[in-house]
Amino acid sequence: QVQLVESGGGLVQPGGSLRLSCVASGSFFSINTMGWYRQASGKQRDLVATITSGGFTNYTDSVKGRFTISRDNTKHTVYLQMNSLKPEDTDVYYCNADIRFHTGRGLDYWGQGTQVTVSS
């Protein structure tokens, strides 16, 4: 089974920074797009940022200029550098990956979620 394990969440003051990491492990052929999503209690899961296997990035408007998504294909890891954090960034953040197997099949996988709290 493929697993996505997240780390790096925590409590930070407004204006502070955090870096989230997500490592994919298991048996697979390749990883296409990876991304970060966030979800508040009782709300839908919303896109934060995505990055393709070739390095093309996409961000939701509210985080542009503050967050940076990157990946290390050798380590099967995606990162989210979060700067100038605001209280409204408080959410559970989930890693996502489009995994491709040797059979040609693709499946969407999610990390376990990590809490990010921005508060004084």
Side-chain angles (χ1 to χ4, degrees):
Q1 185 181 32
V2 175
Q3 280 195 318
L4 271 57
V5 180
E6 303 177 28
S7 62
L11 174 65
V12 66
Q13 294 184 12
S17 298
L18 286 172
R19 190 178 80 151
L20 306 183
S21 299
C22 175
V23 181
S25 63
S27 181
F28 48 83
F29 180 74
S30 64
I31 305 175
N32 289 341
T33 300
M34 305 183 79
W36 291 95
Y37 295 72
R38 60 189 181 187
Q39 183 176 20
S41 180
K43 303 294 184 179
Q44 70 175 10
R45 190 170 296 182
D46 294 327
L47 181 147
V48 178
T50 60
I51 182 167
T52 69
S53 60
F56 183 82
T57 59
N58 181 58
Y59 300 90
T60 191
D61 286 343
S62 62
V63 308
K64 288 180 179 177
R66 300 189 297 121
F67 292 10
T68 302
I69 189 170
S70 61
R71 64 190 287 171
D72 185 330
N73 291 330
T74 300
K75 298 179 179 179
H76 307 305
T77 301
V78 63
Y79 306 93
L80 185 68
Q81 178 66 48
M82 303 184 292
N83 299 325
S84 302
L85 283 162
K86 304 175 180 180
E88 51 262 44
D89 295 318
T90 296
D91 267 318
V92 178
Y93 284 69
Y94 295 90
C95 174
N96 173 266
D98 177 11
I99 304 293
R100 302 294 170 173
F101 298 91
H102 291 87
T103 60
R105 186 178 185 184
L107 290 175
D108 217 34
Y109 284 85
W110 292 93
Q112 80 279 10
T114 184
Q115 177 70 48
V116 172
T117 302
V118 185
S119 177
S120 298

